[in-house]
Amino acid sequence: MSLVQPRNLNGPYGARYDGAIDLGALQARHRTVYPERTRISVDGNVAAAIPFLQWWRSPIVAGFPITPATKWLEYLAAETAGDKTAVQWEGRRVATKRVKLLESEHAAADYMAGVASSCRDLIVGTATSSVGLDHMTESVRSLGASGLGNVVLVNVCRATANYPLCIEGDPSDALAHRDDGFIQVMCRGKQQIYDTLLQLPAVGLHPQVLTPTMPAYYGIKDSHRSGQLWIEPDGAVNAFLEEALALGATRSDPRDQDFLDMGVPGMGGPPGLLDGDTAMGNCVTSAWFQGFKVGQKARIQKALEVLPRVAQLFEAHFGRPGIPFFETHRLDPTPDVALVCMGPDAGTAQQMLPSIEAQTGARVGLVVLRLLSPFPSQALAHALRGVGAVGVVNNAHHSGRGHLALDVVDALAEQGSAPPVESFFCGLGGADVSQATWQLMFKTTLEAARRGRPSRRWHMLHDGLELAEE
Amino acid sequence: MSVAKPLPVFKDFAMREDAFCEGHTLCPGCEEAVTFHTLGRATDNGRKTVMVMGTSCGEVSTLMYPNVIAWGRGTEEPDRVEKSVGVIHHVFESAPTVAEGVRDTATVLQDLGAWKGEAPNVVAWSGDGGALSIGLRSVLHTIHRRARIALFVNINEVFANTGFQYSPTAIPYADSSTLPNGAAAEPLDHIGLCLTAGAGFVAQVAPAFAPLFAEVVKEALACPTTAVVFVPSPCIAGWKFREGLTAELGQLACRTGLFPCFRKRAGEPGELKNVPDKAKRPTVDHYLALQQRFEHVIRMKDGKPTVVPGHESQVATIQAYADRNVERLTKWAAW
Amino acid sequence: MAPTVSIRDRLQRGESIDIRGDGKAGGGLVLAIQTFAVALSQTDLDVQDWPLFSSARKGANVRAYLRVAKGEVQTACLVTHPDVAVLMNEAAGDEVDFAEGTHAATYVVNTPRSPEEVAARYRLGGRVAVIAGDDLGNQFLNRPLGNVALFAALVRVTEAVEPDVARRALAQMLKKRRLPERIIDANLALFDAALERMRWAEVPATPQSDHRPKAFQGYGELPVGAQSSLRTSRRNHTAGYGRPGVKIVFEDAAHRCNGCSLCVVQCPEGIIQFEPDPAKGTLVHGANFDAYCKLCRECIAACPLDLFSEVPVVARPEHAA
């Protein structure tokens, strides 16, 4: 193995001891879970769990159960129990995968900080939801600023908190945590969940991004429904990840040259606690803090450049599209109106588009948001240009017009002339979003296009009915 | 041929390469700094060292970017990873859990052949608040899971970093900014809690007892499960006493029975040290009178501790607590 | 040379006056500024005061601000161009330019030196007022605490509030701190004496007395997550933390040190210098007092042979006027 030589390539970060951690050994110990491409029926939680078994870079996951994310943890606990992941090494059986049970979500997040900071070349993850995400908030917000792009926090969206308590799914938790500093991507359907997991670490670990990631999906409607999933073989999953990680290395950046030269699967970038002479989590006064936020903002914005490159590489490897900023359906040619939504209920709308057009005689389109933070304002405004009116579907409670409505209005305003925007609330707390509700939302948005303005500030809907006076 | 007597542990430590630097901004005489130096030297033992700090005086005074990063072994970046130091501060109560994450990472890398060195020193540091108030959950559960870390808890009976607010380790009637003149409530039995949670080694020693302190530090670093060392540290800014009294107060706190030296390995008989038998034990009066935080109860007058009229029962309460504390810790030592 | 327009007159004209002070934590600066604020608020003036928020501990540099005007004080930004610059502890003045942002202003310094000496030492122009606060503290309170004296000097040099109003405000502040009657009386006597003993002089402004602050140039490229290399604290010389006028020395001409090592392990700064002896321990020959010693006296308490002691410091040589 390579000689342990300290390099002070990172200057301000302290020395890094290349070779102190032999990642090649870790890679060699990996025990393949799926040797071949396989199609199985799984629910959302299992789809989100499988990549952690497949990545050789992920020997440790952390967890604390919370509905509706618990199955993620239970699945991994079952798949790693006893001898299941063990290999023979130096005369003994050693487990290659370890599930760490903590006493609370806050502990799970702190534990991940310890793992991620110890060796920045490992990927560490957990899955949580709503009150669990809230419980770990101080740790999550800290991780969001930390530069630890090797942290993956799966959020299984659920109505937040209490009064009343509801354990079914809506994105109020993820949306409340949008500024925690994580790259947030919403998914719908098992394949999107699995594929998104495979791609996100390469985005988060890009040297100019260095931001942790939060793949999310709706509780119950996605976590507790089964569907078909194509699982890629371990070898392909890891080969793709290595190539995607290498996207960040350029020979012109001295921090990356050693990684390319040495031929070991390590990355450039700041050292970790085990392989570095370094301090993390220092404090500063108000004379400095703002400067760090300038940098943090630039890094998460850089994800807008990096994500498409990773997605393109994913498509090259696996023959299906990688993570887009958002899905578009019938936006080309420009429709009369478009609805902007996210989550599994979008599938209902997607299926209804031809019949709505037949009924109304108008052309209708659909945008299903994927990347939420950083919000892809410019791309969205470009996709919606020329549309007569936009209807935004909010599935999360908001005291005003709705989180997504504000983002969409802002994106449209940036481009100059903005069409009228109708804001809808439905599906809160996992309420069913029926075809009648979608029908009403398309109809109302078409009316707004004709009128030239929305009919009211927002509409609260259920099963085809307007719920309350404003 | 005569065999040279080995030097006591604290002298051996004194000649090692320290991982804690001058230029930190802790108060003059602060025992945290003495503890950090002891740890800094003790960890120069051929193993990589990782220090995990909770938010505390110790953190803001030794990890301020850019000019007060007071960690690092030697004067230059070492050329060997075993001499290097990784330091992290995450959030307030997270030190034990973060340290556990560090330990598990090192262990899994070692198990799988990716870490060739010896198992690193993993040390966690918290104050009263971070370990026993908001942090009690993390301390007890990390212990319960038998994480192989050495957890050091600085006890000064206040949340010093934020301006000396009440802490659940405070002895009765200690004044603090959120509980003026204190209250009758006794402090948490922190030693009992850690023992029953399953700690492999529990100790309490003020750095003023330098030889014993060094032995306890060495033993904590060698513990195969969780070692918890409580470090009673007189706080000049919070307790308000004259300069130069830190060592005396540290020793008196022990001898009166308020914070006895304690040392116990799980499953083996432990011991109290430096606490005289009741007949010879100093009363709490002199100790309390030296500190302005007790001046509403007792103060120095012409060099003698003088109880404030009407507050005799409060001094008696503190004395009774000290006596019961010795009895209780004696039982814990034998547990 | 035209005298500086008095602060009182400027306030009467409706101007807002900015005051900034530098000192050491524990040196009484914040209390002095707060007491001045309380005194000012007894008049028809609106006043805000605040310390610079920091984690500074005993001995570290601290800064405090005060803004006062007839009418309402709404301005919330820091004082960067003070009309009155205060130096509570000269040790702080070694590390920061307490006159930063001034060219010709009013200065109040706690020092035994004369106004002319102080003006030369700190390159000041304008009205320079001095008060030997530490000496008065020793005289009246048995402690070198100069803040009440400095408060008196502020009162006298600005004339912004009548001395008897200021005196009452001081008594009020001291009562609030639950100090015994005799201590309050001693402080008030100190205040009276300080009013008498304050000295000031008008000094011409020069190009050297222009302490123009450096303009903000941007944050530069900062490390991600504020991660950093180690050992940077070595550039932070903390010797200024201790009381002025004394230092600790190590004297062992007879090589009596027996290597007990107690000073080495008890020094919170870790600055004891020694030769390691594998049989005896650390044979001490000195310490890096000049750069880092905070005068905590743990070495004095620890050494069984009394090889450490506290001695008075010889006064610094003066700059040529």
Side-chain angles (χ1 to χ4, degrees), chain A residues 8 14-15 17 20-22 25-26 29 89 92 98 100 102-103 106-107 110-111 115 117-118 138-139 142 273-274 276-283, chain B residues 48 63-65 69 77-79 81 84-91 93-94 97-98 100-102 104-105 108 111-115 137-138 141 145:
Chain A
N8 196 1
Y17 296 85
I21 297 176
D22 181 1
L26 196 63
R29 300 292 93 74
W89 177 248
R92 6 177 238 130
R98 323 229 167 146
K100 182 79 177 197
L102 286 309
E103 74 275 14
H106 194 297
D110 296 342
Y111 183 83
V115 174
S117 58
S118 294
E138 67 169 322
S139 198
S142 301
L273 299 174
L274 287 173
D277 192 57
T278 188
M280 300 180 65
N282 299 312
C283 67
Chain B
K48 164 80 199 204
L63 286 177
M64 181 176 283
Y65 178 92
I69 310 292
E77 272 165 357
D79 57 11
V81 69
S84 70
V85 175
V87 188
I88 183 168
H89 158 249
H90 183 59
V91 299
E93 71 273 50
S94 66
T97 325
V98 172
E100 200 176 347
V102 174
D104 286 356
T105 305
V108 81
D111 282 352
L112 300 178
W115 176 265
R137 160 189 65 70
S138 42
H141 283 278
R145 289 188 292 264

Coordinates of all heavy atoms in Angstrom, one line a residue, chain A residues 8 14-15 17 20-22 25-26 29 89 92 98 100 102-103 106-107 110-111 115 117-118 138-139 142 273-274 276-283, chain B residues 48 63-65 69 77-79 81 84-91 93-94 97-98 100-102 104-105 108 111-115 137-138 141 145:
Chain A
N8 N 0.5 19.1 2.6 CA -0.1 20.3 3.1 C -0.8 21.0 1.9 O -0.7 22.2 1.8 CB 0.9 21.2 3.8 CG 0.2 22.2 4.6 OD1 -1.1 22.3 4.6 ND2 0.9 23.1 5.3
G14 N -5.0 22.6 7.0 CA -4.1 21.7 7.7 C -3.6 20.6 6.8 O -4.2 20.4 5.7
A15 N -2.7 19.8 7.3 CA -2.1 18.7 6.5 C -3.1 17.6 6.3 O -4.0 17.3 7.2 CB -0.9 18.2 7.2
Y17 N -3.0 13.4 5.4 CA -2.1 12.3 5.4 C -2.6 11.3 4.4 O -3.3 10.3 4.7 CB -1.9 11.7 6.8 CG -1.3 12.7 7.8 CD1 -2.1 13.7 8.4 CD2 0.1 12.8 7.9 CE1 -1.5 14.6 9.2 CE2 0.6 13.7 8.8 CZ -0.2 14.7 9.4 OH 0.4 15.6 10.2
A20 N -3.1 7.3 4.8 CA -3.4 6.9 6.2 C -4.6 6.0 6.2 O -4.8 5.1 7.0 CB -3.6 8.1 7.1
I21 N -5.6 6.4 5.3 CA -6.8 5.5 5.1 C -6.7 4.9 3.7 O -6.6 5.6 2.7 CB -8.0 6.4 5.2 CG1 -8.1 7.0 6.7 CG2 -9.3 5.5 4.9 CD1 -9.3 7.9 6.9
D22 N -6.6 3.6 3.7 CA -6.4 2.8 2.4 C -7.8 2.5 1.9 O -8.4 1.4 2.2 CB -5.6 1.6 2.7 CG -5.4 0.8 1.4 OD1 -5.8 1.2 0.4 OD2 -4.7 -0.3 1.5
A25 N -8.5 -0.8 0.1 CA -8.8 -2.0 1.0 C -10.3 -2.0 1.2 O -10.9 -3.1 1.2 CB -8.0 -1.9 2.3
L26 N -10.9 -0.9 1.5 CA -12.3 -0.8 1.8 C -13.1 -1.3 0.6 O -14.0 -2.1 0.6 CB -12.7 0.6 2.1 CG -14.0 0.8 2.8 CD1 -14.1 0.1 4.1 CD2 -14.3 2.3 3.0
R29 N -12.9 -5.1 0.1 CA -13.7 -5.9 1.1 C -15.2 -5.9 0.7 O -15.9 -6.7 1.3 CB -13.6 -5.3 2.5 CG -12.3 -5.2 3.2 CD -11.6 -6.6 3.5 NE -10.7 -6.9 2.4 CZ -9.5 -6.4 2.2 NH1 -9.1 -5.4 2.9 NH2 -8.8 -6.8 1.2
W89 N -11.4 -11.8 6.6 CA -10.3 -10.9 6.5 C -9.4 -11.1 7.6 O -9.8 -11.1 8.8 CB -10.8 -9.4 6.5 CG -9.7 -8.4 6.4 CD1 -9.3 -7.5 7.4 CD2 -8.7 -8.2 5.4 NE1 -8.2 -6.8 7.0 CE2 -7.8 -7.2 5.8 CE3 -8.5 -8.8 4.1 CZ2 -6.7 -6.8 4.9 CZ3 -7.5 -8.4 3.3 CH2 -6.6 -7.4 3.7
R92 N -10.4 -13.6 10.3 CA -11.7 -13.5 11.0 C -12.8 -13.0 10.1 O -12.5 -12.6 9.0 CB -11.7 -12.6 12.3 CG -10.4 -11.8 12.5 CD -10.5 -10.8 13.6 NE -10.2 -9.5 13.1 CZ -11.0 -8.4 13.3 NH1 -12.0 -8.5 14.1 NH2 -10.7 -7.3 12.8
R98 N -22.6 -1.8 8.9 CA -23.0 -1.7 10.3 C -24.1 -0.7 10.4 O -24.0 0.4 9.9 CB -21.8 -1.2 11.2 CG -20.5 -1.9 10.7 CD -19.7 -2.5 11.7 NE -18.6 -3.3 11.1 CZ -17.4 -3.5 11.6 NH1 -17.1 -2.9 12.7 NH2 -16.6 -4.2 11.0
K100 N -26.1 1.5 13.0 CA -25.9 2.1 14.3 C -27.3 2.6 14.8 O -27.8 3.5 14.2 CB -24.9 3.2 14.3 CG -24.6 3.8 15.7 CD -23.7 2.9 16.5 CE -23.4 3.5 17.8 NZ -22.2 2.9 18.4
L102 N -29.2 4.7 17.3 CA -29.0 5.8 18.3 C -30.3 6.0 19.2 O -31.4 5.4 18.8 CB -28.7 7.1 17.6 CG -27.3 7.3 17.0 CD1 -26.2 7.0 18.0 CD2 -27.1 6.6 15.7
E103 N -30.2 6.8 20.2 CA -31.4 7.0 21.1 C -32.4 8.0 20.6 O -33.4 8.2 21.3 CB -30.9 7.3 22.5 CG -30.4 8.7 22.7 CD -28.9 8.9 22.3 OE1 -28.3 8.0 21.7 OE2 -28.3 9.9 22.7
H106 N -31.7 13.3 16.9 CA -30.6 14.3 17.2 C -29.3 13.6 17.3 O -28.3 13.9 16.7 CB -30.9 15.1 18.4 CG -30.0 16.4 18.6 ND1 -28.7 16.3 18.7 CD2 -30.4 17.7 18.6 CE1 -28.2 17.5 18.8 NE2 -29.2 18.4 18.8
A107 N -29.3 12.4 18.0 CA -28.1 11.6 18.2 C -27.7 11.1 16.8 O -26.5 11.0 16.5 CB -28.3 10.5 19.2
D110 N -25.9 13.8 15.0 CA -24.6 14.0 15.6 C -23.6 12.9 15.2 O -22.4 13.1 14.9 CB -24.7 14.1 17.1 CG -25.5 15.3 17.5 OD1 -25.7 16.2 16.7 OD2 -25.9 15.3 18.7
Y111 N -24.1 11.7 15.3 CA -23.3 10.5 15.0 C -22.8 10.6 13.5 O -21.6 10.3 13.2 CB -24.1 9.2 15.2 CG -23.4 8.0 15.0 CD1 -22.5 7.4 16.0 CD2 -23.5 7.3 13.8 CE1 -21.8 6.3 15.8 CE2 -22.8 6.1 13.6 CZ -22.0 5.6 14.6 OH -21.3 4.4 14.4
V115 N -19.0 10.5 11.9 CA -18.5 9.6 10.8 C -18.0 10.4 9.6 O -16.9 10.2 9.1 CB -19.6 8.6 10.4 CG1 -19.2 7.8 9.2 CG2 -20.0 7.7 11.6
S117 N -17.1 13.4 9.3 CA -15.9 14.3 9.5 C -14.6 13.4 9.7 O -13.5 13.9 9.4 CB -16.1 15.2 10.7 OG -16.3 14.5 11.9
S118 N -14.8 12.2 10.2 CA -13.6 11.4 10.4 C -13.0 11.0 9.1 O -11.7 11.0 9.0 CB -14.0 10.1 11.1 OG -14.5 10.3 12.4
E138 N -30.8 21.5 14.9 CA -29.6 22.2 15.1 C -28.4 21.5 14.5 O -27.5 22.1 13.9 CB -29.4 22.5 16.6 CG -29.1 21.3 17.4 CD -28.6 21.6 18.8 OE1 -27.8 22.6 19.0 OE2 -28.9 20.8 19.7
S139 N -28.5 20.2 14.5 CA -27.4 19.4 13.9 C -27.5 19.5 12.4 O -26.5 19.6 11.7 CB -27.5 18.0 14.4 OG -26.3 17.3 14.2
S142 N -26.3 22.8 11.1 CA -24.9 22.8 11.2 C -24.2 22.0 10.1 O -23.3 22.5 9.4 CB -24.4 22.3 12.6 OG -25.0 23.1 13.6
L273 N -10.9 14.1 10.1 CA -10.2 14.1 11.4 C -9.2 13.0 11.5 O -8.2 13.2 12.2 CB -11.3 13.9 12.5 CG -12.4 15.0 12.6 CD1 -13.4 14.6 13.6 CD2 -11.8 16.3 12.9
L274 N -9.4 11.8 10.9 CA -8.5 10.7 11.1 C -7.3 10.9 10.2 O -6.2 10.5 10.6 CB -9.2 9.4 10.7 CG -10.2 8.9 11.8 CD1 -10.9 7.7 11.3 CD2 -9.5 8.5 13.1
G276 N -6.2 13.8 8.9 CA -5.8 15.2 8.8 C -5.2 15.8 10.1 O -5.4 15.2 11.2
D277 N -4.6 16.9 10.0 CA -4.1 17.7 11.2 C -4.9 19.0 11.1 O -4.5 20.0 10.5 CB -2.6 18.0 11.1 CG -2.0 18.5 12.3 OD1 -2.1 17.8 13.4 OD2 -1.4 19.6 12.3
T278 N -6.1 18.9 11.7 CA -7.1 19.9 11.3 C -8.1 20.2 12.3 O -8.3 19.3 13.2 CB -7.8 19.5 10.0 OG1 -8.6 20.5 9.4 CG2 -8.7 18.2 10.2
A279 N -8.8 21.3 12.3 CA -9.9 21.7 13.2 C -11.2 22.0 12.4 O -11.1 22.8 11.5 CB -9.5 22.9 14.1
M280 N -12.3 21.4 12.9 CA -13.5 21.7 12.2 C -14.5 22.3 13.2 O -14.5 21.9 14.4 CB -14.1 20.4 11.6 CG -13.2 19.8 10.6 SD -13.9 18.2 10.0 CE -15.3 18.8 9.1
G281 N -15.5 23.1 12.7 CA -16.5 23.6 13.6 C -16.0 24.8 14.5 O -16.5 25.0 15.5
N282 N -15.0 25.5 14.0 CA -14.5 26.6 14.8 C -15.6 27.7 14.9 O -16.5 27.8 14.1 CB -13.3 27.2 14.0 CG -12.2 26.2 13.9 OD1 -11.8 25.6 14.9 ND2 -11.6 26.1 12.7
C283 N -15.4 28.6 15.9 CA -16.3 29.7 16.1 C -15.7 31.0 15.5 O -14.5 31.1 15.3 CB -16.7 29.9 17.5 SG -15.3 30.4 18.6
Chain B
K48 N -2.9 8.1 16.9 CA -3.6 9.3 16.3 C -4.6 9.8 17.4 O -5.2 9.0 18.1 CB -4.4 8.9 15.1 CG -5.4 9.8 14.6 CD -4.8 11.0 13.8 CE -5.8 12.1 13.8 NZ -5.5 13.0 12.6
L63 N -10.9 27.4 19.8 CA -11.2 27.1 18.5 C -11.9 28.3 17.8 O -13.0 28.2 17.3 CB -12.2 25.9 18.4 CG -11.6 24.5 18.6 CD1 -12.7 23.4 18.6 CD2 -10.5 24.1 17.6
M64 N -11.3 29.4 17.9 CA -11.8 30.6 17.2 C -11.0 30.9 16.0 O -9.8 31.2 16.0 CB -11.9 31.8 18.2 CG -12.5 33.0 17.4 SD -12.7 34.5 18.4 CE -14.1 34.1 19.4
Y65 N -11.7 30.9 14.8 CA -11.0 31.2 13.6 C -10.9 32.7 13.5 O -11.8 33.4 13.8 CB -11.9 30.7 12.4 CG -11.4 31.0 11.0 CD1 -10.5 30.1 10.4 CD2 -11.7 32.2 10.4 CE1 -10.1 30.5 9.1 CE2 -11.3 32.5 9.2 CZ -10.4 31.6 8.5 OH -10.0 32.0 7.3
I69 N -6.7 29.1 17.2 CA -6.8 27.6 17.2 C -5.7 27.1 18.0 O -4.5 27.1 17.6 CB -6.8 27.1 15.7 CG1 -7.7 27.9 14.8 CG2 -7.0 25.6 15.7 CD1 -9.1 27.7 15.0
E77 N 3.5 21.1 11.5 CA 2.6 20.0 11.2 C 3.5 18.7 11.2 O 4.5 18.7 10.5 CB 2.0 20.2 9.8 CG 0.7 21.0 9.8 CD 0.3 21.6 8.5 OE1 1.0 21.4 7.5 OE2 -0.8 22.2 8.5
P78 N 3.0 17.7 11.9 CA 3.8 16.5 12.0 C 4.0 15.8 10.7 O 3.1 15.9 9.9 CB 3.1 15.6 13.0 CG 2.0 16.5 13.6 CD 1.8 17.6 12.7
D79 N 5.1 15.0 10.6 CA 5.2 14.2 9.3 C 4.6 12.8 9.5 O 4.7 12.1 8.5 CB 6.7 14.2 8.9 CG 7.6 13.6 10.0 OD1 7.1 13.1 11.0 OD2 8.8 13.7 9.8
V81 N 1.2 10.6 10.8 CA -0.3 10.7 11.1 C -0.5 10.4 12.6 O -1.4 11.0 13.2 CB -1.1 9.8 10.2 CG1 -0.9 8.3 10.5 CG2 -2.6 10.2 10.3
S84 N -0.5 13.6 14.5 CA -1.5 14.6 14.1 C -2.7 14.6 15.0 O -2.9 13.6 15.7 CB -1.9 14.4 12.6 OG -2.7 13.2 12.4
V85 N -3.4 15.7 14.9 CA -4.6 15.8 15.7 C -5.8 16.3 14.9 O -5.6 17.2 14.1 CB -4.4 16.9 16.8 CG1 -5.6 17.1 17.7 CG2 -3.2 16.4 17.8
G86 N -6.9 15.6 15.0 CA -8.2 16.1 14.4 C -9.0 16.7 15.6 O -9.2 16.0 16.6
V87 N -9.5 17.9 15.4 CA -10.4 18.5 16.4 C -11.7 18.8 15.8 O -11.7 19.4 14.7 CB -9.8 19.8 17.0 CG1 -10.6 20.3 18.2 CG2 -8.4 19.6 17.4
I88 N -12.8 18.6 16.5 CA -14.1 19.0 15.9 C -15.0 19.5 17.0 O -15.0 19.0 18.1 CB -14.8 17.9 15.1 CG1 -16.1 18.4 14.5 CG2 -15.1 16.7 16.0 CD1 -16.8 17.5 13.5
H89 N -15.7 20.6 16.7 CA -16.8 21.1 17.5 C -18.0 21.0 16.7 O -18.0 21.6 15.6 CB -16.5 22.5 18.0 CG -17.7 23.2 18.4 ND1 -18.2 24.3 17.7 CD2 -18.5 23.1 19.4 CE1 -19.3 24.8 18.3 NE2 -19.5 24.0 19.4
H90 N -19.0 20.3 17.1 CA -20.3 20.2 16.3 C -21.3 21.1 17.0 O -21.3 22.3 16.9 CB -20.6 18.7 16.2 CG -21.8 18.5 15.3 ND1 -21.9 18.9 14.0 CD2 -23.0 17.9 15.5 CE1 -23.0 18.6 13.4 NE2 -23.7 18.0 14.4
V91 N -22.2 20.5 17.8 CA -23.2 21.3 18.5 C -23.1 21.0 20.0 O -22.5 20.1 20.4 CB -24.7 21.1 18.0 CG1 -24.8 21.5 16.5 CG2 -25.1 19.7 18.2
E93 N -24.5 19.7 22.7 CA -24.5 18.5 23.6 C -24.0 17.3 22.8 O -24.2 16.1 23.2 CB -25.9 18.2 24.0 CG -26.9 17.7 22.9 CD -27.6 18.8 22.2 OE1 -26.9 19.8 21.8 OE2 -28.8 18.8 22.1
S94 N -23.4 17.5 21.7 CA -23.1 16.4 20.7 C -21.8 15.7 20.9 O -21.5 14.6 20.3 CB -23.1 16.9 19.3 OG -22.1 17.8 19.1
T97 N -21.6 11.8 21.3 CA -22.2 11.1 20.1 C -21.3 11.2 18.9 O -21.0 10.3 18.2 CB -23.6 11.6 19.8 OG1 -24.3 11.9 20.9 CG2 -24.3 10.5 19.0
V98 N -20.8 12.4 18.7 CA -19.8 12.6 17.6 C -18.6 11.8 17.8 O -18.1 11.1 16.9 CB -19.4 14.1 17.5 CG1 -18.3 14.3 16.5 CG2 -20.6 15.0 17.1
E100 N -18.4 9.0 19.4 CA -18.8 7.7 19.1 C -18.7 7.4 17.6 O -18.3 6.3 17.1 CB -20.2 7.4 19.6 CG -20.5 6.0 19.8 CD -21.9 5.8 20.5 OE1 -22.5 6.8 20.9 OE2 -22.4 4.6 20.4
G101 N -19.2 8.4 16.8 CA -19.1 8.3 15.4 C -17.6 8.1 14.9 O -17.3 7.4 14.0
V102 N -16.8 8.9 15.5 CA -15.4 8.9 15.1 C -14.8 7.5 15.5 O -14.1 6.9 14.6 CB -14.6 10.0 15.9 CG1 -13.1 9.8 15.7 CG2 -15.0 11.4 15.5
D104 N -16.4 4.6 15.9 CA -16.9 3.5 15.0 C -16.3 3.6 13.6 O -16.1 2.5 13.0 CB -18.4 3.6 14.9 CG -19.1 3.2 16.2 OD1 -18.4 2.7 17.1 OD2 -20.3 3.3 16.3
T105 N -16.0 4.8 13.1 CA -15.4 4.9 11.8 C -14.0 4.3 11.8 O -13.6 3.5 11.0 CB -15.3 6.4 11.4 OG1 -16.7 6.9 11.4 CG2 -14.8 6.5 10.0
V108 N -14.3 0.5 12.1 CA -14.7 -0.3 10.9 C -13.6 -0.2 9.8 O -13.3 -1.2 9.1 CB -16.0 0.3 10.3 CG1 -15.9 1.5 9.5 CG2 -16.7 -0.8 9.5
D111 N -11.0 -2.7 11.0 CA -11.5 -4.1 10.8 C -11.4 -4.5 9.3 O -11.1 -5.7 9.0 CB -13.0 -4.2 11.2 CG -13.2 -4.3 12.7 OD1 -12.2 -4.4 13.4 OD2 -14.4 -4.2 13.1
L112 N -11.6 -3.6 8.4 CA -11.6 -3.9 7.0 C -10.3 -3.7 6.3 O -10.2 -3.8 5.1 CB -12.7 -3.1 6.3 CG -14.1 -3.4 6.8 CD1 -15.2 -2.6 6.1 CD2 -14.5 -4.9 6.7
G113 N -9.2 -3.4 7.1 CA -7.9 -3.3 6.6 C -7.6 -1.9 6.0 O -6.6 -1.8 5.3
A114 N -8.4 -0.9 6.2 CA -8.2 0.4 5.6 C -7.4 1.3 6.5 O -7.0 2.4 6.1 CB -9.5 1.0 5.2
W115 N -7.3 1.0 7.8 CA -6.5 1.8 8.8 C -5.5 0.9 9.4 O -5.8 -0.1 10.1 CB -7.5 2.4 9.8 CG -6.8 3.2 10.9 CD1 -6.4 2.7 12.1 CD2 -6.4 4.5 10.9 NE1 -5.8 3.7 12.9 CE2 -5.8 4.9 12.1 CE3 -6.5 5.6 9.9 CZ2 -5.3 6.1 12.4 CZ3 -6.1 6.8 10.2 CH2 -5.4 7.1 11.5
R137 N -28.8 13.1 27.9 CA -29.3 12.0 27.0 C -28.0 11.5 26.2 O -27.9 10.2 26.2 CB -30.3 12.6 26.0 CG -30.4 11.7 24.7 CD -31.2 12.3 23.6 NE -30.7 13.5 23.0 CZ -29.7 13.6 22.2 NH1 -29.0 12.6 21.9 NH2 -29.3 14.8 21.7
S138 N -27.2 12.3 25.7 CA -26.1 11.8 24.9 C -25.1 11.1 25.7 O -24.6 10.1 25.3 CB -25.5 12.9 24.0 OG -25.4 14.1 24.7
H141 N -26.5 7.6 26.9 CA -26.7 6.6 25.9 C -25.4 6.2 25.2 O -25.2 5.0 24.9 CB -27.7 7.1 24.9 CG -29.1 7.0 25.3 ND1 -29.8 5.8 25.3 CD2 -29.9 7.9 25.9 CE1 -31.0 6.0 25.8 NE2 -31.1 7.2 26.2
R145 N -24.2 2.3 25.3 CA -23.7 1.5 24.1 C -22.3 1.1 24.2 O -21.7 0.5 23.3 CB -24.0 2.4 22.8 CG -25.4 2.6 22.5 CD -25.6 3.2 21.1 NE -25.1 4.6 21.1 CZ -25.9 5.6 21.3 NH1 -27.2 5.5 21.5 NH2 -25.4 6.9 21.2

